[in-house]
Amino acid sequence: MPKTTTWDTSGTWDSKGGWAAQGEPGPATGGLAPAGLGRMREVLARPVESGAVPGLVALVGRGDETHVEVMGTLSAGGDEPMRRDTIFRMASATKPVTAAAAMVLVEECRLRLDDPVDPWLPELADRRVLRSLESPLDDTVPAHRPITLRDLLTFTFGFGAVLAAPDTYPVQVAIRELGLDTTSPDFGPDEWIKRLGELPLLRQPGEMWQYHTGSDVLGVLIARVSGQPFETFLRERILDPLGMKDTGFHVPEDKIHRLPVCYAHDPATGGLTVWDEAAGGRYSRPPVFAAGGDGLVSTADDYHAFYRMLLNKGTFGGERVLSRASVELMTSDRLTPAQKTEKDAFGDHFGHHGGYGFGMAVRTHRRDLASPGQFGWDGGLGTSVYADPAEGLVGILLTQTAQDSLDTPNLIKDFWTAAYQAVA
């Protein structure tokens, strides 16, 4: 018999995608279905057996029942097997953790959501804004208002990834020349924010969702407000309380044997090509810049603890990490229809969830098997982590095969289709 859960299913989803729970945890809703888990195992095995993905770790958890699949090897053609405690480059799945750290400072009243961040980030004060994306860098207008913490958390502060071919626009050239187009710059956070401040904003603050950069700025902001390196604050306030012992911004030497090789796809042949080795690779030593947008390494069990905390409205193992109110704010849709224009223009890549909260997507409509209210995010190096409060479900799929071909995105879609069949 499957173990039972105690998730409350008596609430409703409001128009902004927020869970309006009613009362204390309700009756048991069931666990995981053996037949569905068998289907999931078959689905995951196919790309591993074909060689499309050298190896993976997948986890589905519901209440106190957890099921893990471990398949393949740490490298293509290698004989070192994947393990449940394999450490993965989480890529953009880092973003929700960074948002949670920022909310700790809000709860301590050291930051306010709608106050300007100018006192802490003077490099981003008195901004100029490009008249249009096609404009030269000196064709600008004044920003209508300062940047706020809410802008950073929702990716609406006016700057982000330019979703066009390289060097299409003058600002892209400037971003590249300043070294801001890399996920692991060779200069520290103070220099990074200084260089970012040399560029005009792409949009007015609060105008439109633009991907990624807000999370990196949050890491700098958190460090300055807390008076600690970002990684230190993250460890003390989020990672250690949740027992996330294998999560950080690099893999120590005594654990490097648990880090897989990371692969991209050759654009000419579609075959796997090494993007990052384990020993001696970019994650084998502490980074100069700990990136809040995509810098973490972690394991399936560590991330399960983080998402169980969010599902449980801020508590885990009897310890409160965030308030119920903060979690509900983070995991509900915080964007206006106008702010979603760019996000929704990119369909399955960014727009299929419907909404966006703080550092993560929020499902606002029933499009596939996922319930409205599901929240989480993917990582470009082949990671996918979401929680579904309506089902009490956490799903985690970890590979190290980049989402730069159809193979990995299709695997992620199939994993989620199978995961929902595993709900008893």
Side-chain angles (χ1 to χ4, degrees):
M1 293 288 292
K3 298 178 182 177
T4 59
T5 67
T6 56
W7 296 104
D8 179 12
T9 59
S10 62
T12 58
W13 289 99
D14 63 27
S15 61
K16 293 290 287 180
W19 178 245
Q22 301 170 359
E24 296 302 313
T29 59
L32 297 171
L37 295 175
R39 175 79 57 84
M40 186 177 73
R41 185 178 302 114
E42 294 174 4
V43 167
L44 296 175
R46 293 170 195 158
V48 175
E49 292 169 355
S50 72
V53 175
L56 59 82
V57 176
L59 180 152
V60 287
R62 198 166 185 235
D64 60 358
E65 186 172 0
T66 302
H67 179 86
V68 179
E69 294 286 351
V70 181
M71 298 181 180
T73 57
L74 295 178
S75 61
D79 54 14
E80 187 67 30
M82 279 281 178
R83 304 168 13 166
R84 178 167 176 162
D85 67 351
T86 294
I87 300 172
F88 292 83
R89 303 158 187 83
M90 298 303 296
S92 287
T94 300
K95 290 173 169 65
V97 183
T98 298
M103 291 306 297
V104 170
L105 292 172
V106 171
E107 293 190 347
E108 293 179 348
C109 298
R110 299 163 78 179
L111 283 172
R112 301 184 188 94
L113 286 171
D114 295 310
D115 279 1
V117 296
D118 295 359
W120 304 105
L121 302 175
E123 298 91 342
L124 300 186
D126 302 318
R127 305 308 301 142
R128 304 286 300 182
V129 183
L130 281 178
R131 194 177 300 275
S132 73
L133 199 56
E134 294 82 5
S135 297
L137 298 189
D138 58 358
D139 184 13
T140 62
V141 299
H144 296 332
R145 63 165 176 82
I147 296 165
T148 67
L149 174 60
R150 189 186 300 272
D151 296 330
L152 296 174
L153 286 163
T154 57
F155 292 175
T156 59
F157 83 102
F159 196 95
V162 180
L163 303 175
D167 295 354
T168 299
Y169 303 111
V171 70
Q172 289 176 282
V173 177
I175 290 170
R176 174 174 51 77
E177 291 177 345
L178 287 169
L180 297 173
D181 61 342
T182 176
T183 59
S184 54
D186 57 4
F187 42 84
D190 291 337
E191 178 64 20
W192 183 86
I193 202 75
K194 173 180 174 293
R195 296 189 189 195
L196 182 63
E198 294 174 14
L199 295 174
L201 298 179
L202 309 179
R203 299 280 186 175
Q204 289 287 343
E207 180 182 357
M208 187 174 293
W209 185 93
Q210 292 177 288
Y211 190 51
H212 180 71
T213 312
S215 289
D216 285 343
V217 177
L218 281 175
V220 181
L221 177 65
I222 290 166
R224 291 186 177 181
V225 173
S226 68
Q228 299 175 291
F230 175 43
E231 182 172 13
T232 301
F233 181 84
L234 196 65
R235 180 154 303 283
E236 291 181 357
R237 306 309 299 275
I238 301 291
L239 305 182
D240 284 351
L242 293 173
M244 297 173 69
K245 63 183 185 302
D246 289 320
T247 303
F249 288 95
H250 81 289
V251 182
E253 185 177 358
D254 62 341
K255 298 181 180 180
I256 199 69
H257 62 285
R258 291 161 53 193
L259 180 69
V261 176
C262 188
Y263 295 92
H265 292 89
D266 186 312
T269 67
L272 296 180
T273 181
V274 174
W275 182 80
D276 186 46
E277 294 281 4
R282 67 187 71 191
Y283 290 86
S284 65
R285 54 192 177 274
V288 178
F289 177 48
D294 57 7
L296 285 179
V297 295
S298 191
T299 64
D301 284 299
D302 276 11
Y303 257 63
H304 189 206
F306 178 75
Y307 275 78
R308 283 290 301 274
M309 178 272 292
L310 294 178
L311 272 184
N312 205 36
K313 302 294 184 170
T315 63
F316 182 79
E319 183 166 357
R320 181 160 290 282
V321 178
L322 288 171
S323 70
R324 172 184 287 266
S326 287
V327 173
E328 290 177 348
L329 188 65
M330 290 175 62
T331 59
S332 57
D333 185 16
R334 308 268 40 106
L335 300 183
T336 67
Q339 288 171 330
K340 296 176 183 179
T341 301
E342 180 164 302
K343 179 183 71 67
D344 290 352
F346 287 86
D348 279 351
H349 202 58
F350 294 132
H352 69 275
H353 310 88
Y356 201 83
F358 289 174
M360 67 187 89
V362 179
R363 183 84 56 166
T364 59
H365 55 271
R366 173 77 76 168
R367 171 175 167 166
D368 44 36
L369 301 188
S371 308
Q374 182 205 50
F375 57 81
W377 200 237
D378 299 319
L381 298 180
T383 57
S384 183
V385 190
Y386 289 83
D388 186 331
E391 296 289 357
L393 177 73
V394 176
I396 299 171
L397 176 65
L398 304 180
T399 81
Q400 294 289 243
T401 306
Q403 296 197 59
D404 55 356
S405 82
L406 289 177
D407 287 344
T408 307
N410 284 343
L411 168 60
I412 290 172
K413 292 175 184 177
D414 291 345
F415 164 71
W416 283 107
T417 297
Y420 276 93
Q421 295 175 67
V423 174

